[in-house]
């Protein structure tokens, strides 16, 4: 069983195939220390693997292993079942509406995290 961070890190790597450690941590909007710990656990459990960047040997890239792909597929089945149960009384149209709203919020918070994470709350409030 995967925790949420491990699932999202592998999901991101399944989607983007190869990222540097820093890119993966940033795409998940985690602090570097937290992200590196998740990466270490995934590597230790042979769910992702590290390899040298072809163009810059100082960078380490990551990709999902065959075992990681198998575990990921099982996790997706579990998530699909849970999602189905959680959204049982919501119509497809309502799901689309909810998804649209959540995407809007995610885009805003993603921008705040990357461009304004050191700003005070009043400065961030001005972005709204």
């Amino acid at each position: 069983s995967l925790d949420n961070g491990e699932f999202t890190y592998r999901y991101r790597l399944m989607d983007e195939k190869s990222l540097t450690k820093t890119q993966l941590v940033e795409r998940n909007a985690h602090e570097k220390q937290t992200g590196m710990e998740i990466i270490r656990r995934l590597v230790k459990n042979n769910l992702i693997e590290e390899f040298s960047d072809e163009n810059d040997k100082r960078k380490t890239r990551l990709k999902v292993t065959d075992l990681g792909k198998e575990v990921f597929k099982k996790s997706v089945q579990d998530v699909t079942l849970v999602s189905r149960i959680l959204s049982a009384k919501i119509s497809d149209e309502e799901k689309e509406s909810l998804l649209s709203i959540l995407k809007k919020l995610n885009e805003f918070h993603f921008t705040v995290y990357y461009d304004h994470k050191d700003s005070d709350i009043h400065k961030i409030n001005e972005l709204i």
Side-chain angles (χ1 to χ4, degrees), residues 4 16 20 27 30 51 59-60 75 77-78 86 115-116:
N4 188 47
E16 298 194 51
T20 65
R27 297 239 192 340
H30 276 133
F51 63 97
K59 292 183 180 178
T60 301
S75 299
Q77 291 170 351
D78 293 344
L86 289 174
D115 299 334
H116 305 281

Side-chain angles (χ1 to χ4, degrees), residues 86-98:
L86 289 174
S87 64
K89 298 294 182 181
I90 299 175
S91 71
D92 287 345
E93 186 178 304
E94 290 169 323
K95 289 176 191 175
E96 289 297 321
S97 179
L98 176 60

Side-chain angles (χ1 to χ4, degrees), residues 7 70-83:
F7 180 83
E70 287 177 35
V71 174
F72 180 79
K73 286 176 187 170
K74 170 71 171 102
S75 299
V76 168
Q77 291 170 351
D78 293 344
V79 168
T80 301
L81 179 60
V82 170
S83 296

Side-chain angles (χ1 to χ4, degrees), residues 13-32:
L13 282 173
M14 293 287 287
D15 191 41
E16 298 194 51
K17 304 296 180 221
S18 163
L19 295 170
T20 65
K21 289 179 177 182
T22 301
Q23 288 171 327
L24 184 57
V25 172
E26 287 176 351
R27 297 239 192 340
N28 284 284
H30 276 133
E31 295 297 326
K32 190 170 185 170

Side-chain angles (χ1 to χ4, degrees), residues 101-115:
I101 292 167
L102 291 173
K103 282 181 179 179
K104 260 184 171 174
L105 283 171
N106 188 57
E107 288 169 9
F108 174 76
H109 290 285
F110 190 80
T111 300
V112 169
Y113 179 80
Y114 278 105
D115 299 334

